[in-house]
């Protein structure tokens, strides 16, 4: 089994990746004025994007947000810089080695395949797909993820034209807001990995090794909510399984138009999709649940994830505009439009907070789960990772007749993250040597004219870490069944893709992937302050608790990784 999403190269220095300052976080003052923390995670938002936009629009909503808070200009997200470990890190304080979450779609050496009934004799090892693949709806995948809401605005989506879909945005939003606040019911246990200890399907929240901010807030009687792109993000419930009171998860990889496109294939579609979550957050600011029908009080911890900037960076063109960046490194036309959209949504939320009299008790944290790479399109090179893996398996079969394919699973975005069927030292050495000594041909299937394609040496990699070295790199416990067996760091600009024409992706360790925006603004925060001290997005988690007057050491990861609160809070 292998997943071959688009990837961009990343450079990585030797050594253990930093997870944040190793300074124990102190308990916050119980007199904290903050009663609500609104978290806005904007996929793809680099610190440079925010700085450019605010520089061009100093009196914009984003400009005011920066002015009314503390701006951390040297913030980095987790490695791998995938959405799942990035989001988990923001709400646990844990890096992947501690949380056990390395990517959204991974492999585990101890869990059993879905549907296993005889757990005493089954062979361990299976894919762990925390993606739309575990939604109840599959043919087609629907926006409600299989809840079977019957509103015509939703049921007609697969047959709508793009223009009709965009014209029905208000109706779609109103309909999808009826989606359940407990999306565990939308996940299909028949396609989940099986826990050998219980012989039962393992849900995402059970896979997580540490507790979450939502867990801690609930233990103190506080209300929690979150809006995000897949029901599989119920992992944020934490080990309790009940950390988020109101979890709104419209499926982004669902059918959005007559062509079968999902909500990421056009930036206008992505904006419409994100607007459904904005509507949920506005309802929550007003003191209702996400549907706007039940008055429950404004949550203590709540917010949403935006996808609009991410697709504007990935798509070569959309809505008649060029995606990505200009040659001078500034946002191109589509990305500039996407940033305008984000600015308008942030402005709407700030205005609602002010209107409802919550400004003096609300802090807004704006950041990103990941950046996007490469920003410089001239460095983009497309390579077929499937051909590399097939060749590696063929070489292994030649020297080991009768052996299983060496690569059990691989995720290749901004590099290679692999789980091997044979974890012995000779197999690890074989894979590493092969990858570093064999070239990879250009993928002309995705680039017929060769504009962004070229044959690359060393499988497009600069470094390969295996076994204990890979564990050390991500601070995993040696032999952890969650952890990858091989991590390859790609040459900058290399894109591993078997048929996708995106111009940027994430997952690696390049600055384009990991250098993200981070602003903490509003109540309980120094205003008009900028700090260039290096920080990690994992520090958001203990900082949320500190702002609310709760003890950051209530988080498992604060005690394990010694994740500190953000400086100046």
């Amino acid at each position: 089994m292998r997943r071959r999403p688009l990837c961009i190269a990343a450079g990585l220095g030797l050594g253990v990746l930093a997870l944040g300052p190793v300074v124990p976080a102190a308990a916050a003052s119980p007199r904290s004025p903050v009663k609500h923390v609104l978290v806005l995670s904007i996929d793809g938002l680099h610190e440079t994007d925010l700085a450019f936009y605010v520089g061009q629009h100093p009196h914009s909503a984003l400009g005011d947000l920066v002015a009314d808070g503390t701006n951390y200009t040297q913030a980095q997200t987790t490695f791998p810089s995938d959405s799942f470990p990035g989001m988990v890190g923001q709400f646990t304080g844990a890096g992947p080695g501690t949380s056990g979450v390395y990517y959204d779609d991974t492999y585990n050496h101890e869990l059993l395949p879905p549907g296993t009934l005889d757990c005493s004799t089954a062979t361990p090892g299976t894919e762990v797909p925390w993606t739309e693949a575990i939604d109840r709806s599959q043919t087609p995948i629907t926006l409600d993820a299989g809840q079977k809401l019957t509103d015509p605005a939703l049921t007609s989506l697969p047959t709508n034209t793009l223009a009709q879909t965009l014209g029905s945005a208000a109706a779609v939003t109103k309909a999808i807001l009826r989606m359940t606040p407990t999306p565990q019911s939308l996940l299909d246990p028949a396609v989940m990995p099986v826990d050998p200890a219980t012989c039962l399907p393992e849900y995402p929240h059970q896979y997580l090794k540490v507790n979450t901010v939502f867990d801690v807030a609930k233990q103190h009687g506080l209300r929690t909510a979150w809006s995000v792109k897949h029901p599989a993000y119920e992992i944020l419930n934490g080990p309790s399984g009940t950390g988020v009171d109101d979890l709104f998860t419209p499926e982004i990889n669902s059918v959005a138009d007559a062509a079968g496109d999902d909500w990421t294939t056009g930036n206008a579609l992505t904006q419409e999709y994100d607007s459904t979550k904005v509507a949920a957050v506005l309802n929550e600011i007003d003191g209702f649940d996400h549907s706007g029908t039940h008055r429950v009080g404004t949550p203590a911890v709540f917010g949403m994830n935006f996808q609009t900037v991410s697709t504007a960076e990935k798509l070569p063109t959309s809505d008649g505009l060029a995606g990505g960046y200009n040659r001078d490194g500034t946002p191109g036309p589509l990305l500039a439009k996407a940033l305008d959209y984000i600015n308008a949504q942030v402005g709407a939320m700030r205005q609602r907070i002010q209107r409802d009299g919550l400004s003096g008790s609300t802090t807004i944290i704006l950041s990103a789960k990941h950046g996007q790479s490469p920003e410089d399109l001239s460095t983009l090179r497309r390579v077929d990772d499937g051909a590399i893996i097939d060749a590696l398996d063929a070489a292994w079969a030649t020297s080991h007749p009768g052996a299983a394919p060496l690569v059990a699973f691989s995720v290749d975005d901004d590099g290679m993250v692999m789980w091997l069927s044979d974890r012995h030292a000779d197999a690890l050495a074989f894979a590493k040597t092969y990858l570093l000594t064999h070239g990879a041909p250009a993928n002309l299937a995705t680039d017929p004219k060769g504009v962004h394609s070229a044959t690359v040496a060393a499988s497009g990699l600069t470094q390969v870490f295996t076994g204990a070295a890979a564990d050390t790199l991500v601070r995993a416990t040696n032999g952890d069944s969650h952890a990858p067996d091989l991590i390859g760091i790609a040459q900058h600009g290399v894109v591993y893709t078997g048929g996708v024409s995106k111009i940027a992706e994430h997952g690696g360790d390049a600055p384009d992937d990991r250098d993200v925006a981070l602003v903490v603004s509003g109540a309980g925060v120094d205003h008009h302050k900028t700090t260039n001290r290096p920080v990690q997005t994992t520090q958001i988690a203990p900082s949320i608790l500190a702002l609310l007057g709760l003890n950051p050491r209530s988080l498992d990861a604060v005690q394990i990784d010694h994740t500190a609160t953000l400086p100046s809070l």
Side-chain angles (χ1 to χ4, degrees):
M1 301 162 145
R2 57 178 81 129
R3 175 175 177 249
R4 300 173 179 170
L6 180 74
C7 17
I8 309 296
L12 175 67
L14 289 167
V16 179
L17 293 171
L19 296 180
V22 285
V23 180
S29 166
R31 295 179 302 228
S32 172
V34 178
K35 298 186 182 300
H36 314 285
V37 179
L38 172 63
V39 182
L40 303 175
S41 184
I42 302 170
D43 280 18
L45 187 67
H46 303 101
E47 190 278 330
T48 52
D49 298 328
L50 180 63
F52 177 80
Y53 192 88
V54 171
Q56 296 292 307
H57 309 88
H59 303 297
S60 62
L62 289 173
D64 290 343
L65 187 78
V66 172
D68 291 342
T70 299
N71 185 15
Y72 298 89
T73 62
Q74 298 294 320
Q76 279 199 326
T77 189
T78 57
F79 173 79
S81 56
D82 176 58
S83 289
F84 232 63
M87 186 93 281
V88 166
Q90 288 186 20
F91 287 113
T92 64
T98 299
S99 69
V101 178
Y102 294 89
Y103 239 88
D104 59 353
D105 196 2
T106 62
Y107 188 89
N108 188 287
H109 285 290
E110 291 183 358
L111 295 181
L112 303 176
T116 298
L117 298 177
D118 184 355
C119 295
S120 62
T121 61
T123 302
T126 187
E127 181 182 2
V128 182
W130 301 144
T131 65
E132 68 277 7
I134 59 171
D135 293 357
R136 286 193 179 274
S137 68
Q138 291 296 318
T139 52
I141 299 175
T142 58
L143 189 61
D144 67 2
Q147 188 175 340
K148 297 184 179 179
L149 296 174
T150 57
D151 193 293
L154 295 177
T155 55
S156 63
L157 276 176
T159 58
N160 278 345
T161 65
L162 178 60
Q164 289 171 333
T165 300
L166 294 176
S168 65
V172 171
T173 296
K174 182 178 179 181
I176 198 61
L177 286 174
R178 293 168 46 217
M179 196 169 173
T180 178
T182 54
Q184 285 180 16
S185 61
L186 304 179
L187 302 179
D188 185 357
V191 295
M192 293 182 191
V194 173
D195 181 350
T198 63
C199 213
L200 295 173
E202 181 155 302
Y203 280 76
H205 73 269
Q206 296 171 310
Y207 198 71
L208 184 61
K209 293 183 175 183
V210 292
N211 65 348
T212 71
V213 165
F214 300 113
D215 280 317
V216 176
K218 281 289 293 294
Q219 289 169 2
H220 288 81
L222 301 179
R223 183 167 178 82
T224 59
W226 188 248
S227 298
V228 71
K229 64 182 181 177
H230 301 302
Y233 275 90
E234 75 89 32
I235 195 170
L236 297 176
N237 276 309
S240 70
T242 58
V244 187
D245 289 305
D246 189 353
L247 186 55
F248 178 51
T249 61
E251 177 55 70
I252 194 169
N253 291 127
S254 60
V255 174
D257 63 19
D261 297 323
D262 68 30
W263 300 92
T264 68
T265 52
N267 198 245
L269 282 173
T270 310
Q271 288 185 26
E272 180 185 345
Y273 169 82
D274 277 348
S275 292
T276 67
K277 294 180 292 182
V278 172
V281 171
L282 292 175
N283 285 336
E284 290 159 359
I285 292 171
D286 287 343
F288 292 89
D289 66 351
H290 80 260
S291 71
T293 58
H294 304 288
R295 184 171 288 279
V296 292
T298 305
V301 186
F302 67 122
M304 64 170 284
N305 162 253
F306 283 93
Q307 294 292 304
T308 295
V309 168
S310 181
T311 62
E313 292 171 334
K314 290 180 181 181
L315 297 170
T317 60
S318 182
D319 314 322
L321 300 172
Y325 293 84
N326 297 318
R327 290 186 178 182
D328 63 359
T330 58
L334 186 65
L335 181 53
K337 184 179 178 182
L339 291 170
D340 284 338
Y341 168 81
I342 296 295
N343 181 70
Q345 307 316 307
V346 171
M349 293 180 195
R350 282 170 56 86
Q351 290 172 8
R352 189 66 61 89
I353 288 169
Q354 184 176 15
R355 188 199 74 177
D356 291 353
L358 301 176
S359 297
S361 60
T362 302
T363 306
I364 299 176
I365 300 178
L366 181 145
S367 190
K369 304 197 303 276
H370 58 75
Q372 215 87 255
S373 178
E375 294 181 59
D376 181 357
L377 193 59
S378 69
T379 66
L380 177 60
R381 296 293 180 268
R382 293 193 179 117
V383 178
D384 185 356
D385 62 316
I388 296 172
I389 295 168
D390 288 343
L392 170 58
D393 280 338
W396 176 254
T398 298
S399 58
H400 298 77
L406 183 57
V407 181
F409 193 83
S410 182
V411 181
D412 311 320
D413 280 339
D414 278 72
M416 291 186 175
V417 183
M418 287 186 181
W419 287 258
L420 304 183
S421 62
D422 188 333
R423 308 178 81 187
H424 292 98
D426 62 334
L428 297 173
F430 183 95
K432 177 177 180 177
T433 300
Y434 182 91
L435 291 172
L436 290 176
T437 56
H438 287 75
N443 187 355
L444 296 179
T446 62
D447 188 14
K449 295 183 180 180
V451 176
H452 298 300
S453 294
T455 299
V456 294
S459 305
L461 301 171
T462 61
Q463 295 170 286
V464 173
F465 299 85
T466 60
D471 288 338
T472 299
L473 185 68
V474 292
R475 296 184 64 169
T477 302
N478 191 262
D480 178 13
S481 64
H482 294 229
D485 301 307
L486 182 151
I487 300 174
I489 308 305
Q491 301 163 21
H492 187 266
V494 167
V495 175
Y496 295 106
T497 173
V500 182
S501 60
K502 297 174 186 176
I503 58 174
E505 252 292 356
H506 54 272
D509 189 55
D512 293 358
D513 286 307
R514 298 189 63 201
D515 293 350
V516 296
L518 176 53
V519 179
V520 185
S521 181
V525 183
D526 289 341
H527 293 188
H528 302 283
K529 185 166 186 175
T530 298
T531 174
N532 60 5
R533 289 178 60 180
V535 296
Q536 305 289 317
T537 55
T538 51
Q539 293 177 256
I540 291 172
S543 299
I544 292 171
L545 296 184
L547 285 164
L548 292 170
L550 304 178
N551 190 347
R553 290 187 63 81
S554 300
L555 288 170
D556 298 334
V558 167
Q559 299 190 49
I560 297 169
D561 290 341
H562 305 292
T563 311
T565 56
L566 290 165
S568 301
L569 291 187

